[in-house]
Amino acid sequence: NAGVTQTPKFQVLKTGQSMTLQCAQDMNHNSMYWYRQDPGMGLRLIYYSASEGTTDKGEVPNGYNVSRLNKREFSLRLESAAPSQTSVYFCASRFLTGYNSPLHFGNGTRLTVT
Amino acid sequence: GQQLNQSPQSMFIQEGEDVSMNCTSSSIFNTWLWYKQDPGEGPVLLIALYKAGELTSNGRLTAQFGITRKDSFLNISASIPSDVGIYFCAGQPADRGSTLGRLYFGRGTQLTVWP
């Protein structure tokens, strides 16, 4: 049982390049999330999808787009990467949007934008 | 937006010592979660709390859901070197109308354990 799988694990981009971060979960979870983690800032929510077919902005959505491709997959796209988007990106999922359902995280994608 | 204040920001302790960290919110939460993140990995759930006043243990870890529903603490007893990492609190606001599906995270407590 793989849980939450993110690809790639590492990526280096030049300013202005685009890329898509992939996330898939095999736990039949309804809700999926994208966070970024920067030193001293904790985990900040970029976008989330409470259920298949819906997406909503989090705290820091600017410069990103998302697609909930199906129940398993939730991708994050950077259309024109900027150095400020250098960060570690985590995908997470949970079974229900109800209160008694913790998040399960992937192992992250480490992105550097030069 | 929602604010979670987690303290302390970092701790340097000797092996065998007990550790305590806490998290407070500006509004009422109906879920508190504690995660640990090892270097190079994603956060892993340690303890989940769903009821005000609830006290839950997981080995040497104990966490409590504050009775005001605005705070939670995590204690680690008899620390060992593998306890090193970043500990995050997270919470689900009770007002789910505006924040359905969202969890809010503290900024983390970096724990260093000296042998």
Side-chain angles (χ1 to χ4, degrees), chain A residues 6 8-13 19 21 34-44 46 60 64 76 78 81-90 107-114:
Chain A
Q6 291 183 236
K9 290 187 185 205
F10 301 93
Q11 183 71 49
V12 178
L13 291 177
M19 79 159 294
L21 282 64
W34 277 104
Y35 288 87
R36 61 177 288 173
Q37 184 177 29
D38 303 292
M41 299 297 291
L43 290 154
R44 292 184 293 170
I46 304 170
V60 289
Y64 305 95
L76 178 72
L78 286 70
S84 62
Q85 294 178 305
T86 294
S87 188
V88 182
Y89 291 85
F90 288 100
N107 278 335
T109 294
R110 282 140 189 86
L111 175 66
T112 301
V113 183
T114 60

XYZ file of all heavy atoms in Angstrom, chain A residues 6 8-13 19 21 34-44 46 60 64 76 78 81-90 107-114:
349
model
N 4.241 11.103 -4.671
C 4.520 12.334 -5.399
C 5.663 12.123 -6.376
O 6.649 11.457 -6.052
C 4.936 13.440 -4.425
C 3.841 13.930 -3.521
C 4.318 15.065 -2.642
O 4.235 14.995 -1.419
N 4.806 16.140 -3.256
N 7.946 14.583 -9.496
C 9.223 13.950 -9.159
C 9.610 14.229 -7.718
O 8.922 14.979 -7.032
C 10.187 14.662 -10.117
C 9.612 16.039 -10.250
C 8.114 15.863 -10.214
N 10.709 13.675 -7.253
C 11.198 13.951 -5.891
C 12.033 15.233 -5.886
O 12.059 15.942 -4.876
C 12.061 12.806 -5.391
C 11.261 11.579 -5.124
C 12.079 10.494 -4.458
C 11.165 9.327 -4.378
N 11.093 8.347 -3.658
N 12.740 15.490 -6.958
C 13.567 16.687 -7.078
C 13.356 17.294 -8.463
O 13.144 16.563 -9.423
C 15.057 16.367 -6.914
C 15.419 15.735 -5.608
C 15.469 14.350 -5.486
C 15.708 16.507 -4.495
C 15.799 13.757 -4.281
C 16.041 15.915 -3.286
C 16.079 14.542 -3.171
N 13.454 18.629 -8.535
C 13.339 19.290 -9.826
C 14.046 20.635 -9.757
O 13.896 21.356 -8.753
C 11.882 19.502 -10.205
C 11.660 20.117 -11.571
C 11.979 19.164 -12.685
O 11.546 18.017 -12.706
N 12.766 19.632 -13.640
N 14.797 20.957 -10.804
C 15.398 22.272 -10.931
C 14.824 22.905 -12.185
O 14.833 22.288 -13.268
C 16.939 22.200 -11.023
C 17.515 23.598 -11.195
C 17.520 21.533 -9.790
N 14.317 24.110 -12.051
C 13.741 24.837 -13.183
C 14.447 26.174 -13.344
O 14.960 26.737 -12.364
C 12.256 25.128 -12.951
C 11.259 23.980 -12.957
C 9.871 24.520 -12.632
C 11.261 23.266 -14.289
N 6.053 23.511 -15.218
C 6.101 22.089 -14.886
C 4.865 21.710 -14.073
O 4.179 22.592 -13.526
C 7.350 21.723 -14.097
C 7.317 22.053 -12.632
S 8.506 21.103 -11.670
C 7.882 19.443 -11.835
N 3.581 19.087 -11.022
C 3.879 18.142 -9.957
C 2.703 17.166 -9.860
O 1.545 17.582 -9.818
C 4.055 18.854 -8.618
C 5.389 19.566 -8.349
C 5.615 20.710 -9.310
C 5.429 20.069 -6.916
N -2.507 20.440 -1.639
C -1.123 20.795 -1.942
C -0.650 21.857 -0.958
O -1.303 22.901 -0.796
C -0.974 21.336 -3.367
C -0.868 20.274 -4.398
C -1.811 19.865 -5.269
C 0.295 19.471 -4.669
N -1.331 18.857 -6.069
C -0.045 18.600 -5.723
C 1.583 19.407 -4.135
C 0.862 17.668 -6.254
C 2.477 18.493 -4.662
C 2.118 17.632 -5.699
N 0.482 21.571 -0.298
C 1.112 22.502 0.630
C 2.518 22.817 0.120
O 3.147 22.014 -0.563
C 1.261 21.882 2.023
C -0.023 21.723 2.803
C -0.805 20.585 2.654
C -0.437 22.705 3.697
C -1.981 20.434 3.380
C -1.621 22.556 4.429
C -2.377 21.415 4.252
O -3.533 21.261 4.970
N 3.002 23.985 0.522
C 4.418 24.269 0.361
C 5.016 24.511 1.739
O 4.335 25.017 2.649
C 4.690 25.438 -0.575
C 4.126 26.771 -0.176
C 4.522 27.870 -1.160
N 5.944 28.228 -1.036
C 6.588 29.059 -1.855
N 5.933 29.614 -2.874
N 7.856 29.345 -1.670
N 6.284 24.102 1.877
C 6.974 24.250 3.154
C 8.240 25.046 2.938
O 9.106 24.654 2.149
C 7.312 22.889 3.767
C 7.941 22.999 5.150
C 8.205 21.646 5.774
O 8.440 20.652 5.082
N 8.174 21.582 7.093
N 8.361 26.154 3.647
C 9.539 27.006 3.600
C 10.069 27.158 5.013
O 9.302 27.132 5.983
C 9.175 28.371 3.011
C 8.557 28.248 1.630
O 9.291 27.848 0.708
O 7.348 28.506 1.475
N 11.380 27.325 5.159
C 11.976 27.420 6.501
C 11.287 28.481 7.343
O 11.115 29.620 6.923
C 13.434 27.795 6.202
C 13.684 27.263 4.832
C 12.383 27.428 4.087
N 10.890 28.089 8.563
C 10.279 29.027 9.495
C 8.841 29.381 9.204
O 8.228 30.138 9.954
N 8.290 28.853 8.096
C 6.918 29.221 7.715
C 5.933 28.077 7.930
O 4.736 28.247 7.734
C 6.870 29.644 6.248
C 7.732 30.839 5.923
S 7.189 32.302 6.794
C 5.635 32.615 5.990
N 6.411 26.927 8.295
C 5.510 25.799 8.454
C 4.947 25.347 7.115
O 5.561 25.523 6.064
N 3.763 24.784 7.160
C 3.091 24.274 5.955
C 1.983 25.247 5.561
O 1.092 25.537 6.351
C 2.493 22.894 6.241
C 3.525 21.793 6.415
C 2.975 20.671 7.280
C 3.936 21.259 5.056
N 2.056 25.727 4.339
C 1.037 26.666 3.868
C 0.246 26.029 2.725
O 0.824 25.504 1.780
C 1.699 27.973 3.416
C 2.321 28.759 4.568
C 2.878 30.095 4.095
N 4.018 29.935 3.215
C 4.569 30.933 2.519
N 4.053 32.145 2.587
N 5.624 30.696 1.753
N -1.754 25.629 -0.551
C -1.782 26.298 -1.854
C -3.188 26.169 -2.461
O -3.860 27.153 -2.747
C -0.748 25.683 -2.811
C 0.651 25.727 -2.198
C -0.757 26.417 -4.150
C 1.690 24.931 -2.984
N -1.978 30.482 -0.238
C -0.962 31.029 -1.152
C -1.146 30.476 -2.563
O -0.264 29.815 -3.105
C 0.465 30.761 -0.624
C 0.769 31.611 0.576
C 0.665 29.277 -0.303
N 0.014 29.362 -9.183
C -0.237 27.924 -9.279
C -1.627 27.650 -9.853
O -2.534 28.465 -9.704
C -0.170 27.264 -7.897
C 1.094 27.503 -7.123
C 1.179 28.530 -6.183
C 2.215 26.684 -7.314
C 2.337 28.756 -5.473
C 3.374 26.896 -6.598
C 3.432 27.939 -5.677
O 4.583 28.148 -4.962
N -0.416 19.704 -9.497
C -0.135 21.127 -9.252
C 0.732 21.639 -10.389
O 1.778 21.048 -10.670
C 0.597 21.293 -7.914
C 1.007 22.715 -7.530
C -0.217 23.538 -7.133
C 2.017 22.684 -6.374
N 2.878 24.802 -12.243
C 3.508 26.116 -12.234
C 3.642 26.532 -13.691
O 4.372 25.900 -14.460
C 4.898 26.063 -11.593
C 4.988 25.914 -10.080
C 4.545 24.539 -9.617
C 6.401 26.210 -9.622
N 7.536 29.531 -13.722
C 8.180 29.428 -12.411
C 8.986 30.677 -12.068
O 9.625 31.298 -12.942
C 9.085 28.200 -12.372
N 8.971 31.015 -10.783
C 9.717 32.157 -10.267
C 10.586 31.677 -9.097
O 10.232 30.698 -8.421
C 8.762 33.245 -9.786
N 11.704 32.363 -8.834
C 12.562 31.948 -7.712
C 11.827 31.867 -6.389
O 12.176 31.046 -5.527
C 13.646 33.034 -7.703
C 13.742 33.467 -9.129
C 12.334 33.427 -9.648
N 10.777 32.685 -6.209
C 10.005 32.653 -4.964
C 9.240 31.345 -4.787
O 8.715 31.072 -3.696
C 9.018 33.825 -4.915
O 8.096 33.722 -5.995
N 9.173 30.562 -5.841
C 8.489 29.268 -5.760
C 9.447 28.120 -5.414
O 9.024 26.959 -5.357
C 7.741 28.969 -7.066
C 6.591 29.948 -7.298
C 5.869 29.718 -8.607
O 6.491 29.709 -9.682
N 4.557 29.542 -8.548
N 10.701 28.462 -5.181
C 11.634 27.473 -4.635
C 11.137 27.042 -3.269
O 10.951 27.877 -2.373
C 13.049 28.072 -4.519
O 13.551 28.338 -5.822
C 13.985 27.122 -3.784
N 10.878 25.758 -3.111
C 10.252 25.282 -1.879
C 10.193 23.762 -1.919
O 10.591 23.131 -2.898
C 8.827 25.849 -1.779
O 8.244 25.559 -0.517
N 9.698 23.200 -0.836
C 9.362 21.782 -0.812
C 7.844 21.686 -0.859
O 7.147 22.323 -0.055
C 9.892 21.081 0.448
C 9.547 19.593 0.407
C 11.404 21.277 0.565
N 7.341 20.917 -1.800
C 5.894 20.814 -2.013
C 5.409 19.453 -1.526
O 5.972 18.414 -1.872
C 5.570 20.980 -3.497
C 5.820 22.386 -3.970
C 7.088 22.794 -4.384
C 4.794 23.327 -3.981
C 7.325 24.092 -4.793
C 5.017 24.625 -4.399
C 6.291 25.001 -4.799
O 6.516 26.296 -5.198
N 4.356 19.487 -0.721
C 3.776 18.261 -0.199
C 2.341 18.123 -0.662
O 1.551 19.073 -0.581
C 3.796 18.239 1.330
C 5.159 18.041 1.909
C 5.894 19.105 2.379
C 5.711 16.761 1.974
C 7.160 18.920 2.908
C 6.974 16.563 2.498
C 7.705 17.643 2.968
N 5.968 12.225 0.399
C 7.325 12.548 0.850
C 7.892 13.814 0.241
O 9.051 14.142 0.489
C 8.265 11.374 0.575
C 8.154 10.309 1.660
O 7.779 10.608 2.790
N 8.434 9.078 1.309
N 7.127 14.511 -0.558
C 7.544 15.831 -0.998
C 8.258 15.871 -2.337
O 8.848 14.881 -2.779
N 8.176 17.044 -2.974
C 8.945 17.361 -4.176
C 9.772 18.595 -3.848
O 9.225 19.625 -3.447
C 8.022 17.667 -5.362
O 7.294 16.509 -5.725
C 8.841 18.148 -6.557
N 11.100 18.458 -3.997
C 11.990 19.571 -3.709
C 12.275 20.320 -4.997
O 12.937 19.792 -5.874
C 13.272 19.064 -3.062
C 13.061 18.735 -1.608
C 13.782 17.474 -1.159
N 13.366 17.101 0.183
C 12.280 16.349 0.452
N 11.547 15.856 -0.523
N 11.952 16.075 1.691
N 11.745 21.544 -5.085
C 11.834 22.329 -6.308
C 12.755 23.514 -6.100
O 12.620 24.262 -5.124
C 10.443 22.838 -6.710
C 10.406 23.776 -7.917
C 10.814 23.038 -9.192
C 9.022 24.379 -8.089
N 13.689 23.698 -7.022
C 14.559 24.862 -7.028
C 14.347 25.601 -8.342
O 14.415 24.988 -9.414
C 16.035 24.463 -6.907
O 16.221 23.726 -5.691
C 16.931 25.683 -6.893
N 14.098 26.907 -8.235
C 13.930 27.743 -9.428
C 15.086 28.747 -9.463
O 15.272 29.526 -8.525
C 12.590 28.489 -9.420
C 12.434 29.290 -10.717
C 11.438 27.515 -9.255
N 15.864 28.677 -10.530
C 17.057 29.546 -10.611
C 16.817 30.740 -11.535
O 15.846 30.763 -12.299
C 18.252 28.748 -11.126
O 17.933 28.254 -12.437
C 18.555 27.566 -10.209
